[in-house]
Structures are given as C-alpha cells and as structure tokens.
Amino acid sequence: MASIELRYGSGTIPFEYDENCFEILAPPTSQNALTDIEIGDRLDNPIGSQSLDDIVNAGESVLFVVPDATRQTGAGQIVNLLVRRLIANGTAPHEMAIIFATGIHRTVTDVEKPEILTPFISQRIKTHDHNPRDLMQLMHVGETNSGIRVELNRALFEFDHVVLIGGVTFHYFAGFTGGRKLVCPGLGSSKTIGATHKLAFDCETLDRRAGVGTGLLDGNAVHEAFMDAASKAKIAFPVNTIVNNRGEVTDIFCGDWIESHRAACSSFADRHSVPISKKRELVIVSCGGYPFDINVIQAHKSLEAASHACSEGGTIILLAECRDGLGRDDFLNWFGAKDGRELAVKLCERYQVNGQTAWSLLRQAERYRIQAVSELDDEVLGRMRIEK
C-alpha cells in the first residue's frame, strides 16, 4: 500500500491507499526555496519598472502592505530583505510602516505578527491594523468603471511610496490572489468590499456570474473591479510571491503592479494546473493545513477546488481543522435557508460577502455528500449539511 501525509492544522494525518483506486492530484514536483541572494537578483531585475532602490529616495516614507494570518506568502523573508535594502539606501526605520491587509477578516493578533513578519521586523517597524468599518481610517478616492464607490484605508495616501507583498494562488472567483487584492479587498471599506464581491453573483440566474471563476482574469467582473479600485492607490512596487507547501518562497515577480502580477499568475497556473482523465466518485481533500484550514470560510476554498474533480452525487472528504471555528459568528445564520435557491434569494435581497461563501458551500453540499475531519462539532457541521 502507498501512503501519504495529509496536512491538517499544524500536523498531518497519515493515509494508506491503493494506487489502483486513488490518484494524487498535486504539483509534479516540490519547488526549492529561493535563497536571499536569488531573491535579491529578482529585486534588482523587476518587470517593467525601476528597482525599489531607484524608486525610493533617502528621506521618503514607505508603507508595506502584507497579508493577514489566513495567507502563507513568505512575506517575512521579503519584508526583511526590503527593509534592509531601504535602510542601506537612506530610509530610516521610523520612515517605514507595515499594514495588514485584513479586508473583513479579524485583526492579526500580537502572536501572529512576528510569525508573519519575523520577530526582527515586528520589533523594529511600526505596524497598523486595518478596520473596514472605522470611518476615521477610510477615505473616498473615486469610483470603479461600473460605478462602485471606492473607499480605502487612508494610510495608502499618507506615505510617499506603497509596496505590496502578497502571494499568488488560485482564487475561486477572483481568478487569482495577490497583487491588486492587497489593496481591494485587503484595505477597502466594508461597503466597497461588499459591492465588489457582489459582482461574483448573478441575481437573475441566482448563480455565479459568467466569467467569474478559478484562474480567470480576462472578462472577470470581480477582478476588473479590484483593478479599478487598486489603481486609485499609489502603488510604487509590488512583490508577488509563489510558495511551496512548506510556505517557502520559490519564485517572485516584482516591478510594474499590473505586469508583474499577470506574470506571476501565468507562472502559477502553468505549475499548479493538474489535468484529470475523469471525475471520481470519491475525492479526499486537505486544505494544506494551517493557515488554510484556520476556519470554515477559508477551508471552503479547498472544498470548491475538490468539487471540480468529483462526480455529481459523489463523496468529498474534507480535512479542515478549523481552530478558529466558522470565521464569523453570523456565518451559520445563512444555513437557516431550506436550500441553495432560497439562500440565493436572501443573498440578493441583503447581500453579504460571507453569505456568498455560505451559498457556495451549501451548493456543494446539495451536489455531493460532504464529510469532514474537523474540530467543529456535529451540530455545527450538520447545519451546514456536512457529516462529521
């Protein structure tokens, strides 16, 4: 029998399987981590842009935008290298700051900050927490092409230069993560986040909007809205990382904020798209452990991915620890709907971002038998139509 270690929380679950029955869907090889010297070479040769050393002059201020605790991007290594470069270039530590692009997620804890940034950086560079509902933090900066009011964290406009540091992976309706998502939804108001996310849903068909989906950028209304919103900020230099399953940086794409993100998305798709000969009646999916299975809202993304490989009416076994529970206290309220259609109607009447996540999860539960290995109790899982 073959065996595999499936990631779960901070550990793994061993699984023995018959290779005649199971096929492993994973990137063909694990990429090796880049050394600091190799990352430095890429920073010296950005795509369609000057290097950060040439962009930032001595005495000018810099704001680093980094993901929150629900992402694994190698941001700590990148921030360390950039801060040291800027100090050598004449920028003082007090002229730099870091803001966590939490969107509508919870605030990053004091324990998580050094884990994301490394203790060296978290002790030396001031950090800011984004609150999408704090009017004092937000400012109106314009509208998207579709007329959505864009409200962003004013810190983006209080520094001379903004540097984005984010990881690129697939996203089930924005196409890909990284790049513009650090600004919107990462630093948007709750109203702007809600309005841009709502573009993923078609209230006429009560289904996901055409053109919105995993790996799609061109013609994707959500991606286009994020781009419109991000263009209002002064993005001086983005760093888009690709990491391996250990969270180590294996490649970076930096420079022009549009070109470098596109290049990263293309590279990620080439390396991480796996063809399948047919769909299967049983799919076992690990979210990849912590932080990807930190809560239901994050773990659902792996369930969405698994659905593409499962036969209609088949079974999906989801490995998701969910140490933080659901992700939002009110998330379970959406499952009071009798079915996905009723939930969709309620969503169109009173849209909320997490309501759309609930709809997506319920839709999968109606199409497949979903079983979960999780710390969540039977009652909570049962309300979401998931078996323990």
Side-chain angles (χ1 to χ4, degrees), residues 31-300:
Q31 300 291 315
N32 293 325
L34 294 180
T35 65
D36 288 353
I37 293 176
E38 290 171 324
I39 291 176
D41 289 340
R42 286 162 170 76
L43 293 173
D44 288 335
N45 295 280
I47 300 170
S49 166
Q50 294 177 296
S51 69
L52 186 62
D53 301 17
D54 293 328
I55 293 172
V56 180
N57 297 315
E60 293 180 335
S61 59
V62 178
L63 177 68
F64 295 101
V65 183
V66 301
D68 64 11
T70 65
R71 303 290 189 265
Q72 194 173 43
T73 64
Q77 183 182 13
I78 304 300
V79 173
N80 255 285
L81 293 173
L82 292 179
V83 165
R84 294 172 189 274
R85 276 175 168 246
L86 289 176
I87 290 175
N89 202 43
T91 303
H94 71 267
E95 294 170 323
M96 293 181 269
I98 298 166
I99 189 167
F100 295 98
T102 52
I104 58 171
H105 299 165
R106 66 163 173 78
T107 303
V108 177
T109 68
D110 290 338
V111 173
E112 292 166 339
K113 287 179 181 180
E115 293 175 352
I116 296 171
L117 300 173
T118 73
F120 177 85
I121 292 296
S122 63
Q123 292 168 8
R124 289 165 174 80
I125 306 297
K126 184 177 181 179
T127 61
H128 298 274
D129 298 312
H130 173 65
N131 185 335
R133 298 172 185 84
D134 182 357
L135 298 181
M136 295 298 292
Q137 287 192 22
L138 303 165
M139 60 186 293
H140 174 221
V141 296
E143 285 75 33
T144 67
N145 292 332
S146 59
I148 293 173
R149 180 181 173 89
V150 179
E151 297 170 340
L152 300 174
N153 194 299
R154 64 176 62 252
L156 288 166
F157 307 92
E158 294 175 340
F159 289 76
D160 295 316
H161 303 285
V162 173
V163 176
L164 308 181
I165 302 171
V168 168
T169 62
F170 288 124
H171 191 278
Y172 72 105
F173 65 77
F176 293 88
T177 61
R180 73 287 186 238
K181 279 187 96 265
L182 275 297
V183 176
C184 182
L187 296 178
S189 71
S190 57
K191 290 182 179 179
T192 296
I193 294 170
T196 52
H197 279 61
K198 188 176 182 180
L199 293 172
F201 202 76
D202 188 332
C203 286
E204 291 187 6
T205 63
L206 297 180
D207 205 342
R208 192 159 290 153
R209 186 180 301 275
V212 171
T214 304
L216 303 178
L217 293 179
D218 295 330
N220 185 329
V222 178
H223 164 69
E224 291 169 355
F226 288 167
M227 291 292 290
D228 288 346
S231 69
K232 314 299 181 188
K234 301 183 297 182
I235 303 173
F237 197 80
V239 179
N240 300 283
T241 67
I242 295 177
V243 301
N244 58 23
N245 57 12
R246 296 182 296 275
E248 301 165 334
V249 177
T250 62
D251 210 347
I252 73 167
F253 297 80
C254 58
D256 177 81
W257 74 279
I258 297 176
E259 288 185 49
S260 63
H261 182 250
R262 278 277 182 165
C265 293
S266 178
S267 177
F268 184 87
D270 287 343
R271 295 181 189 176
H272 295 82
S273 298
V274 182
I276 58 175
S277 57
K278 63 178 181 178
K279 294 187 176 184
R280 300 295 183 94
E281 294 181 6
L282 172 62
V283 176
I284 301 173
V285 57
S286 161
C287 300
Y290 179 85
F292 305 111
D293 66 355
I294 189 172
N295 57 45
V296 171
I297 290 173
Q298 294 302 317
H300 145 267

Side-chain angles (χ1 to χ4, degrees), residues 332 334-340 342-343 361-362 364-366 368-371 378-388:
L332 210 57
W334 290 97
F335 294 89
K338 66 178 182 181
D339 55 28
E342 182 178 297
L343 197 158
L361 196 160
L362 183 54
Q364 306 303 346
E366 291 174 334
Y368 312 103
R369 179 189 181 192
I370 301 175
Q371 299 179 309
D378 296 40
E379 182 183 358
V380 169
L381 289 169
R383 290 183 64 180
M384 294 185 289
R385 283 67 159 183
I386 298 174
E387 301 173 35
K388 181 80 166 181

